[in-house]
Amino acid sequence: EEAELTSSSPPNFLGGMKHFDVSSSTTGSGDVSPVDTHACAPIGKSTRMQAILNTTNVLLGTGLLALPYTVRCTGGYFSCFFVLMAASGATLFTAKILGKELQRRQARGFPDLALYTFGHRGRIAVAILLYGDIFLCLVLFIIIAGTNAAAVTNSIFLNATIQQDDDDEIVIDAVESMIQWLFSTPTGCAYLMAAALLPATALDDLSTLSKFSAVGTIATVSLVLIVTIAAIARPDAAATDITASTTDSARALSIGLTLYCFAGHALFPSIYWSLEEPEKDWNFVVNI
């Protein structure tokens, strides 16, 4: 089994990052050392501030907009605050443990940690769950972005409607029809959003992505401020026909929505290894 674990090292999924070599060794009892499964561990180029921006952008997402609904479902502000503090504390605690394990075992992610703990079958199972979760999150974000973009662009293309004559023949040409579909329907806008995000996959490190993270964080904070100001300025415009639901299922849903705000663990290993000095800076980043 030792020979099987040390026969190969996992591929580098982090692009053009620098690397340092880790020599193979065994413990005195003959067990496989934590570093034996990795010939090298990545070293990134991100500073503390860049890593903070990436982490904040991961955690500070669209889940914030669901918090008013969680207040209703949990029965008040105190209950929602308790759930938020519990989720925040659990995220901070587990993030620090994750950083220690990544450094101690020189693991690049959750599949590598699973390889050391559960073997190759465990690594495959964890990889399937992890990348399946990331894929579904990407699908969710693309759908949300497409739906909201369509709500904005639909008014622009409102007059470009498809007209039909008495014989039900389409008089608008195919090009205009395609443009209308792309920019005024949620599905078309979702395709545009996916195409716009594809070039970001060519970036070789997260230090570059931190600039986009800064824009995303500013946009999220601005959106929250706009909603808050609108609620204060026009209290009569708020929806008054929505009744609070405090059933057990509603409470469970509110807890799930709150935890969704902190569902960034899947990306923590990448952010950890993107740091120039991960062992020194990681705790400072997650504390912020």
Side-chain angles (χ1 to χ4, degrees):
E1 182 180 0
E2 178 178 342
E4 182 182 4
L5 287 175
T6 59
S7 60
S8 62
S9 60
N12 173 24
F13 295 106
L14 297 178
M17 290 185 175
K18 299 176 291 182
H19 293 79
F20 64 87
D21 293 333
V22 180
S23 59
S24 299
S25 62
T26 56
T27 61
S29 60
D31 296 332
V32 179
S33 172
V35 299
D36 282 340
T37 57
H38 308 280
C40 54
I43 297 180
K45 308 173 184 177
S46 298
T47 63
R48 281 185 175 184
M49 181 56 64
Q50 290 172 333
I52 289 173
L53 289 173
N54 287 327
T55 306
T56 303
N57 189 46
V58 168
L59 298 177
L60 194 66
T62 55
L64 287 176
L65 301 179
L67 291 182
Y69 179 74
T70 64
V71 173
R72 286 178 173 269
C73 294
T74 53
Y77 290 99
F78 178 78
S79 299
C80 182
F81 179 78
F82 175 79
V83 174
L84 275 174
M85 290 299 100
S88 177
T91 302
L92 177 62
F93 177 73
T94 53
K96 289 184 176 181
I97 292 180
L98 177 61
K100 291 180 180 178
E101 289 301 303
L102 290 173
Q103 184 65 40
R104 184 166 70 94
R105 304 176 191 263
Q106 295 299 305
R108 298 177 184 174
F110 291 104
D112 292 344
L113 292 176
L115 173 65
Y116 180 85
T117 307
F118 303 109
H120 288 285
R121 292 183 179 179
R123 182 185 188 182
I124 293 174
V126 170
I128 292 174
L129 293 174
L130 175 66
Y131 297 123
D133 175 58
I134 294 176
F135 174 78
L136 293 176
C137 285
L138 289 174
V139 172
L140 174 63
F141 283 125
I142 290 175
I143 292 175
I144 292 175
T147 302
N148 286 276
V152 175
T153 59
N154 188 42
S155 59
I156 300 176
F157 292 89
L158 186 63
N159 296 327
T161 57
I162 299 177
Q163 301 177 355
Q164 296 179 342
D165 58 14
D166 296 336
D167 298 328
D168 292 333
E169 293 180 357
I170 300 178
V171 295
I172 190 171
D173 59 50
V175 175
E176 291 182 354
S177 178
M178 178 60 70
I179 292 176
Q180 180 191 4
W181 179 80
L182 280 175
F183 288 94
S184 63
T185 64
T187 304
C189 289
Y191 280 113
L192 291 176
M193 292 297 170
L197 291 174
L198 282 178
T201 61
L203 298 176
D204 61 347
D205 62 85
L206 295 183
S207 61
T208 306
L209 284 175
S210 64
K211 300 178 178 63
F212 297 95
S213 296
V215 175
T217 301
I218 294 173
T220 302
V221 173
S222 301
L223 183 59
V224 172
L225 290 176
I226 290 172
V227 172
T228 302
I229 294 173
I232 296 174
R234 294 286 306 276
D236 56 324
T240 57
D241 57 340
I242 300 178
T243 58
S245 178
T246 57
T247 61
D248 291 339
S249 60
R251 291 192 181 96
L253 176 61
S254 67
I255 293 175
L257 291 174
T258 304
L259 294 178
Y260 179 73
C261 298
F262 299 91
H265 278 72
L267 302 180
F268 279 178
S270 297
I271 298 176
Y272 179 88
W273 288 118
S274 72
L275 285 164
E276 292 179 337
E277 298 179 297
E279 187 175 9
K280 176 182 177 181
D281 296 336
W282 177 247
N283 284 348
F284 176 83
V285 170
V286 295
N287 284 333
I288 295 297

